[in-house]
Amino acid sequence: MKLFPTQEVGSLLRAPFLRKTIDEAVIAETEYWGELLGVENYQLLVQSLRSGTYSREELQDWAALYAIRLHETAGLDVVWDGEQRRIEMYEHALRYVDGVEFVGKVKVWDAETYNKAAVKSRPRLKSNPYTSEFLFVRKHARRDVKVPLTGPYTLAEWSFDEYYAPKYLAFASLSEARRSAKREMVLDFAREVLRPIVVSLVELGATRIQIDEPAATTKPHEVPLLVEAFNEIVRGLNARFTIHICYSDYRLLFPHILEAKAHELSIECANRDTVKRGLGDEERRGYSVVRLFREYGADLAIAVGVTDVHTDFIEPPELVMDRLLYAARTLGDPSKIVACHDCGLRTRRWEVAYNKDRSLVRGAELARKKLE
Amino acid sequence: MPRSETLIASYRRLAAGRESPDSLRKLAQEETHETISIQLKSGITFAVEGQLLWHDLLRPFTDSVGGLRPGPLTRWFDNNLFYRKPVIVAKLERTAPILPKYLFTELLDGLAWKLVLPEPYTFYSLSDDQAYRSPEEAILDLAAIFSEELRTLAPRQPAILQLTAPSIAFKTLSQDEIEIVKESVRTVRKGFGEKVMLHIPFADASKAFPWILDLGADIVGVDPYLTELKALKEYSFEGSLAVGAMDSRNSYIESIEELKRILDAASTVEARSLHLTTSADMEALPRGVSISKVKRLGEAFRALREGDLS
C-alpha cells in the first residue's frame, strides 16, 4: 500500500470564468490554466467566452473540470471538483432542505457575517444535487474521488431552532429539555438530510465520502451527539468515510470520537505549526495532537494538514516531508498517515492552491523515500 | 445589540479604504439612536447603548490599553462567534480615556441606562498573559483601569454597570481565584455609586454559588437555559435576580406566556426582586430578530406589571 497518499479537503476558489464580468484578463487566465492543466478542448470554452454564447450550467461544468485537472496535474491521489457548484458549505447545503428559512446575516467576528437559517419544521431533503455533481466528477476524474458534505451537527449548530424550541419551553427543566431538543434536531439532519444523500451516493458507486464538521467542538459536551449522528449516516454502508474537523480543540473529541464508524479523521495542523525544518517537538508542535490518537489506541487513519490554507506561503516539500515523518513517528504507524491540506483552499488564488498541491505531493514523495 | 447589514457594509468599506471613519461613525450614531429609541418605546426599564462600535466585548480595551495587543481570533465561549484574544505583553496602563471613544454618551442624557463591561477575571481568563508574574496583579490592574474608565462617563454614568462574567462559572474556581474575583469587583466599583450587576451567560451560574452572593453585587444575572433555577432555591439573595428568560442565542420569539412560565420558576428563589432580561447579549442575532425580541420583552414586562397574566 502506498504510504502517505495525498488528497485535498474540498473547496477551491471559483474558476476565473465564474466571475461576474468576463473580460480579456479573465479569458487570458482561462487560456493559461486550460493549457497548463491540459484541460481537454479548453479552446471551446475560450471561444464561447469570447462570443458570449454560454450558459451558467456550461460554465459550472467547465469550472468543475478545471478544478479536477488542477488537483490531478499537481499529482494528488484523491480529488474533487473544488466545490465549484456550491456557494459555500452552509448556505449551499441548506438550499436543498425543506423546513429551514434564512432569517438574516449574523456576526462571526468583527464585520464578518454569514446568512443564518432557522429550522421552522422538521428538516427534510428537498432535492439532491450531489448525485449529478458526483456523476460528473466520476466521469471526468482520472484519480480516486472523495465527496465532501457538510455534516448534520454543523448544520444544526449553525442554525437557529424555531421548531424544537417551543416544545422544550414547556419543560420544567429548560437545560435538560434544550439538550433533548438539540439531539432531536441533529439526528433529524442526520436521518432526513445526510443519510439519503449518502445512501444515493454509495448506490451510484461513491467509495470515499467526507463529512465536514467544523463545529464539532463548539459545545464539548455534545461531541457524543456528533458521533451518534455520524454513525446514523454511515450505518451499514460500504465506503471509506472521513470526518473533517478543523480549527478546533482536538483534545475535546476524545475519547468519544473513537466510537465513530469512520475510517479517517482529517484535521488541521499546519496552521498551529512552525515553518522551521526538523523533527523536534518544538518545530513540529502543530502535530502534538497526533499523540492523542496513539494514547487512545485509535484505529483511524489521520489525514494531517501539512499546508496552511490561510497563508500564501508555499511550504517547501522538505517541510511537508518533516511534518509527515513527525506525524508518522508520533503515531507509530506511517500507513495510517494521509497527506492533506489543513482545510479547503477556497480563500487562496489558483496559483497558490496549485503550488500548495504540488508541494504536498512532492513532500509526500520525499517522506515515502525516507521510509523505503 | 447587533449591527445592521448597512453598518456592517460600512465597516467593510472602511477596511477597504472606501469609507471614511467619520461617515462610519455618523452611521453608527444614527443606529445607536435607533437602538435606544426602540428600547424606550418598548418600555425597557434600563436601556443599553448597543455598543455598536465594539467589535467584541474586550476589543476597546485590547486596542487601547497600554501593554495589550490584539492576538488570534478565538472562539467566544461555546458560540459560533470569535474575538481577538488580548495578548498581555507589558504592564497594563491606561494612557487615555477609552469609553468616550466607543460610546455615544451624548445620546444617553437623562436616561437610566446599562453599561456592559467584561468582569476583570473573565477578561484575564480570555487573554494570553506573557508579561505578569501573577494573574492577581494583572486582574487588579485591569479592574483599576475599568474603575477609572467609569469616571470618564460622568455626568452620564449608567444606572447599572453590568459586569459580564461567564468565566467565573465556566469551571469551579479555587478559593484563591474567588478572592481575586471579589477583590477585582470591589476595585471596579470603587467610586461608582450606582448598581452593579454580575451577569453569567454561557454557563451554569450555580457553579458560582453561594460565593457570588458575597461580591456585593446588587443584581445577579443567570441564563435559565443553562442554569437549573431550582438549584438556586436554597440560597437567599439580598439583591435581585435577573432572569435571562429571553433566549438571545435563538431567533425563536418567546411568547409572553412562555416568558412568564420561566419567571414563575425563578420566583421560587428568595430575592429582593426579579429582573426580566435576555440570556446574553444579542450580538449573534440578525438585527431584525433582536428588535423583535426587545419589543416582546417590553410587552412581557407590561403584561406582568399590569397583572394581565395570572
Side-chain angles (χ1 to χ4, degrees):
Chain A
M1 198 182 78
K2 184 181 185 181
L3 287 180
F4 308 122
T6 53
Q7 65 188 32
E8 41 73 58
V9 173
S11 71
L12 190 66
L13 187 67
R14 292 205 163 190
F17 45 86
L18 287 184
R19 287 178 206 146
K20 278 183 189 156
T21 313
I22 307 282
D23 55 17
E24 273 309 313
V26 166
I27 292 172
E29 226 182 311
T30 305
E31 276 184 307
Y32 168 79
W33 284 107
E35 189 180 348
L36 181 75
L37 304 176
V39 178
E40 48 275 38
N41 302 321
Y42 75 88
Q43 297 86 349
L44 292 177
L45 168 63
V46 171
Q47 228 171 9
S48 63
L49 290 177
R50 285 198 195 286
S51 60
T53 52
Y54 51 79
S55 68
R56 183 81 191 154
E57 290 70 29
E58 283 166 347
L59 289 190
Q60 284 183 333
D61 282 352
W62 279 109
L65 185 61
Y66 265 63
I68 295 165
R69 294 287 175 265
L70 182 143
H71 291 314
E72 287 178 343
T73 307
L76 293 188
D77 296 309
V78 184
V79 300
W80 183 241
D81 71 353
E83 301 179 9
Q84 294 294 299
R85 300 170 202 275
R86 306 183 188 182
I87 323 157
E88 48 76 83
M89 66 177 298
Y90 172 76
E91 191 172 338
H92 179 84
L94 289 187
R95 279 188 176 188
Y96 303 95
V97 176
D98 264 336
V100 299
E101 207 174 278
F102 288 94
V103 290
K105 295 273 174 65
V106 297
K107 176 177 162 180
V108 185
W109 75 86
D110 295 5
E112 294 300 319
T113 58
Y114 75 104
N115 197 9
K116 188 161 177 168
V119 176
K120 302 262 186 179
S121 63
R122 196 173 186 205
R124 282 179 202 281
L125 190 64
K126 180 164 54 181
S127 58
N128 183 351
Y130 304 100
T131 48
S132 57
E133 196 184 32
F134 167 69
L135 289 173
F136 182 91
V137 178
R138 191 179 63 176
K139 181 179 169 190
H140 294 279
R142 296 162 181 157
R143 303 285 170 93
D144 272 1
V145 168
K146 173 166 63 68
V147 190
L149 298 167
T150 307
Y153 183 79
T154 295
L155 290 178
E157 177 61 28
W158 288 359
S159 300
F160 292 124
D161 162 21
E162 297 190 19
Y163 171 62
Y164 305 91
K167 294 195 227 173
Y168 67 77
L169 277 172
F171 278 46
S173 164
L174 283 181
S175 54
E176 268 179 48
R178 183 189 245 184
R179 277 195 288 275
S180 306
K182 179 70 172 287
R183 182 167 180 275
E184 202 183 327
M185 183 171 165
V186 173
L187 291 180
D188 277 350
F189 270 116
R191 290 173 184 143
E192 305 295 331
V193 179
L194 267 298
R195 170 86 182 169
I197 295 170
V198 171
V199 167
S200 67
L201 288 170
V202 172
E203 281 172 359
L204 287 172
T207 55
R208 292 170 181 267
I209 294 173
Q210 173 182 293
I211 304 295
D212 296 331
E213 291 284 19
T217 60
T218 309
K219 294 182 171 59
H221 64 276
E222 291 180 351
V223 172
L225 174 57
L226 173 138
V227 171
E228 186 184 357
F230 177 82
N231 289 344
E232 273 295 312
I233 298 168
V234 305
R235 186 171 27 89
L237 298 177
N238 186 20
R240 183 179 174 84
F241 289 104
T242 300
I243 309 178
H244 172 70
I245 298 173
C246 49
Y247 308 100
S248 299
D249 183 348
Y250 296 113
R251 292 169 302 178
L252 302 172
L253 295 174
F254 288 88
H256 312 291
I257 198 71
L258 305 176
E259 301 298 320
K261 308 288 180 211
H263 302 87
E264 181 178 285
L265 191 63
S266 162
I267 56 175
E268 145 268 332
C269 300
N271 166 63
R272 47 187 101 191
D273 199 40
T274 78
V275 293
K276 289 182 209 149
R277 291 282 319 275
L279 295 175
D281 291 344
E282 179 49 32
E283 292 90 357
R284 297 288 71 83
R285 60 181 177 223
Y287 297 81
S288 61
V289 61
V290 175
R291 243 176 254 133
L292 283 171
F293 290 79
R294 184 175 187 154
E295 282 165 18
Y296 281 95
D299 191 27
L300 285 164
I302 317 173
V304 286
V306 286
T307 65
D308 181 352
V309 299
H310 283 149
T311 160
D312 284 348
F313 169 70
I314 305 297
E315 291 79 356
E318 293 75 14
L319 175 61
V320 170
M321 172 188 73
D322 286 351
R323 287 171 170 174
L324 289 170
L325 291 176
Y326 181 86
R329 189 182 73 190
T330 305
L331 188 65
D333 185 353
S335 73
K336 284 188 181 164
I337 297 293
V338 175
C340 195
H341 299 301
D342 267 359
C343 192
L345 289 158
R346 187 182 290 279
T347 59
R348 303 272 67 86
R349 288 176 287 116
W350 274 35
E351 194 75 41
V352 173
Y354 181 60
N355 284 320
K356 282 191 181 267
D357 265 6
R358 278 163 54 93
S359 243
L360 180 71
V361 171
R362 289 174 60 204
E365 279 166 8
L366 293 176
R368 230 170 273 138
K369 278 186 191 144
K370 280 275 179 194
L371 295 187
E372 277 168 5
Chain B
M1 291 286 282
R3 294 165 178 160
S4 70
E5 290 186 23
T6 312
L7 185 55
I8 290 165
S10 176
Y11 265 105
R12 288 191 181 149
R13 285 196 300 275
L14 180 76
R18 288 184 282 110
E19 179 96 307
S20 73
D22 284 350
S23 93
L24 182 141
R25 207 174 160 84
K26 187 169 175 290
L27 192 60
Q29 189 188 33
E30 285 165 10
E31 207 158 281
T32 299
H33 182 258
E34 180 199 57
T35 301
I36 296 168
S37 301
I38 289 165
Q39 293 172 84
L40 295 180
K41 276 186 202 149
S42 303
I44 301 294
T45 322
F46 300 103
V48 292
E49 188 258 8
Q51 299 181 213
L52 300 176
L53 293 174
W54 301 39
H55 275 323
D56 59 61
L57 185 61
L58 316 184
R59 190 70 68 82
F61 304 101
T62 310
D63 286 343
S64 310
V65 169
L68 278 180
R69 63 171 175 76
L73 284 173
T74 307
R75 188 178 293 285
W76 183 245
F77 296 95
D78 59 353
N79 300 283
N80 185 33
L81 196 61
F82 297 80
Y83 72 102
R84 288 267 170 216
K85 186 185 271 286
V87 182
I88 305 175
V89 292
K91 183 170 170 58
L92 301 176
E93 280 172 334
R94 181 175 164 276
T95 50
I98 299 165
L99 290 179
K101 269 197 312 185
Y102 287 91
L103 293 168
F104 295 103
T105 51
E106 67 277 15
L107 302 176
L108 299 161
D109 262 345
L111 289 183
W113 67 288
K114 181 173 84 167
L115 170 67
V116 182
L117 291 182
E119 174 275 324
Y121 175 89
T122 295
F123 190 112
Y124 182 81
S125 305
L126 300 172
S127 307
D128 173 12
D129 181 3
Q130 300 176 357
Y132 279 80
R133 282 200 205 138
S134 88
E136 181 177 8
E137 211 183 313
I139 293 167
L140 293 179
D141 279 353
L142 269 172
I145 288 168
F146 293 164
S147 176
E148 282 179 73
E149 279 303 314
L150 286 172
R151 283 194 277 276
T152 66
L153 299 176
R156 300 180 184 111
Q157 282 206 319
I160 297 180
L161 166 65
Q162 174 183 308
L163 295 172
T164 298
S167 296
I168 70 170
F170 223 64
K171 58 167 187 152
T172 305
L173 266 51
S174 69
Q175 195 51 45
D176 284 350
E177 287 172 315
I178 291 171
E179 291 307 318
I180 296 172
V181 174
K182 284 182 183 172
E183 183 57 29
S184 64
V185 171
R186 267 198 293 271
T187 304
V188 174
R189 70 178 308 171
K190 208 176 282 174
F192 179 69
E194 306 300 328
K195 288 188 172 156
V196 172
M197 169 175 171
L198 275 167
H199 184 53
I200 307 176
F202 318 130
D204 176 357
S206 66
K207 282 189 189 154
F209 280 76
W211 61 267
I212 193 172
L213 302 174
D214 299 332
L215 294 181
D218 304 282
I219 308 160
V220 172
V222 301
D223 174 353
Y225 296 90
L226 293 170
T227 306
E228 288 295 342
L229 293 171
K230 63 183 176 202
L232 306 184
K233 273 188 208 170
E234 59 183 286
Y235 308 111
S236 172
F237 284 57
E238 281 181 20
S240 304
L241 180 67
V243 184
M246 179 68 81
D247 188 354
S248 57
R249 296 207 274 183
N250 198 5
S251 59
Y252 175 73
I253 309 292
E254 294 84 349
S255 68
I256 294 172
E257 290 73 20
E258 285 162 341
L259 294 172
K260 182 179 181 295
R261 210 176 298 139
I262 298 170
L263 275 189
D264 281 346
S267 64
T268 58
V269 180
E270 199 181 312
R272 179 178 296 164
S273 62
L274 285 181
H275 288 230
L276 176 59
T277 184
T278 55
S279 60
D281 56 48
M282 296 203 276
E283 66 175 336
L285 288 173
R287 186 162 170 87
V289 173
S290 75
I291 289 170
S292 300
K293 291 225 168 206
V294 166
K295 288 179 178 168
R296 179 55 51 84
L297 207 55
E299 287 163 12
F301 175 70
R302 281 195 300 278
L304 291 163
R305 236 351 207 315
E306 291 158 13
D308 287 353
L309 294 164
S310 58

